[in-house]
Amino acid sequence: MFELPTNKEYVIAPLSLAILSTVLMLFNLGYYLDFDRTAIANGEVWRLLTGQFTHSNWYHLLLNILGIVFIWLLHAEYTTIKKYWVNVGLLGAFTGLMIWLFAPNIVVYTGLSGLLHGLIVWGALEDIKRKLTTGYLLLIGVWAKVLWEQYAGASADVAMLIDSRVAIEAHLFGAIGGVLLAIIYLFYKTKKPA
């Protein structure tokens, strides 16, 4: 039978991510924190990371919170509070930097979706490392979605719901970041003294 990962160690980090994003939305702090290409060019480099935690509207936030819950259900046992936030920070910074460098058409970006794609890919690779068939299915599913978006574009319905362009580039960059994160952990584990 399936048991929810309700251990405090597994709940605190994803819950705190959802709370952080909600507080930023509640106090309308996006003006100061959104990924804004002009502001970043003028020295506000923190926006490369902080834009990941702001949202265009409440529907956007709700969709991302559902993503947090989905990942928690699938892979909570793979992280500690510290590791979760390291993963979120690295994937968020990586996604923001890749948008800055390789998606000049994105002037303003908000939302967790890029780094959430990275967390899902990293978790799927952890499943595979543990010889779970579901990891392969999840990895194939995520990459099929990401590649389909690159070919066909984003869902117009989702864009209308979140009142913003769906940044499919961020999904791709996040997924790549998830692979790189898994490689970093593998390298770190092999270099760590026994």
Side-chain angles (χ1 to χ4, degrees):
M1 186 160 116
F2 181 74
E3 289 186 38
L4 293 176
T6 55
N7 181 312
K8 180 175 72 170
E9 180 78 6
Y10 303 143
V11 173
I12 288 175
L15 182 61
S16 62
L17 178 58
I19 290 170
L20 170 64
S21 295
T22 302
V23 167
L24 296 179
M25 185 74 187
L26 194 61
F27 290 100
N28 200 25
L29 295 174
Y31 177 79
Y32 305 101
L33 301 174
D34 289 350
F35 176 105
D36 179 312
R37 192 166 287 279
T38 303
I40 294 167
N42 289 326
E44 297 180 18
V45 293
W46 63 84
R47 291 173 179 267
L48 292 169
L49 176 62
T50 60
Q52 314 295 313
F53 307 111
T54 61
H55 292 82
S56 58
N57 64 23
W58 289 102
Y59 293 115
H60 189 198
L61 176 62
L62 179 61
L63 288 174
N64 278 232
I65 288 175
L66 290 173
I68 293 170
V69 171
F70 177 72
I71 294 165
W72 167 73
L73 289 171
L74 289 175
H75 302 129
E77 292 91 349
Y78 296 163
T79 63
T80 61
I81 296 168
K82 179 182 175 185
K83 188 174 186 177
Y84 185 92
W85 277 103
V86 166
N87 292 354
V88 165
L90 289 173
L91 289 167
F94 178 81
T95 301
L97 184 61
M98 292 300 100
I99 291 169
W100 172 259
L101 293 174
F102 300 111
N105 59 316
I106 297 178
V107 177
V108 174
Y109 170 75
T110 62
L112 293 164
S113 61
L115 74 87
L116 291 178
H117 278 74
L119 289 175
I120 292 170
V121 167
W122 174 79
L125 291 168
E126 285 292 311
D127 283 344
I128 291 168
K129 197 164 76 175
R130 289 166 171 77
K131 304 197 183 327
L132 298 172
T133 307
T134 53
Y136 292 101
L137 297 174
L138 185 58
L139 188 65
I140 290 166
V142 171
W143 277 106
K145 174 200 176 286
V146 167
L147 294 174
W148 177 255
E149 287 176 336
Q150 301 309 305
Y151 170 74
S155 164
D157 292 336
V158 173
M160 192 164 55
L161 181 67
I162 68 170
D163 193 29
S164 181
R165 175 187 177 275
V166 178
I168 58 173
E169 301 88 344
H171 300 173
L172 174 63
F173 298 143
I176 292 168
V179 172
L180 293 175
L181 187 63
I183 291 169
I184 288 168
Y185 279 123
L186 187 62
F187 180 76
Y188 176 74
K189 188 176 179 182
T190 59
K191 292 295 180 189
K192 196 173 174 181

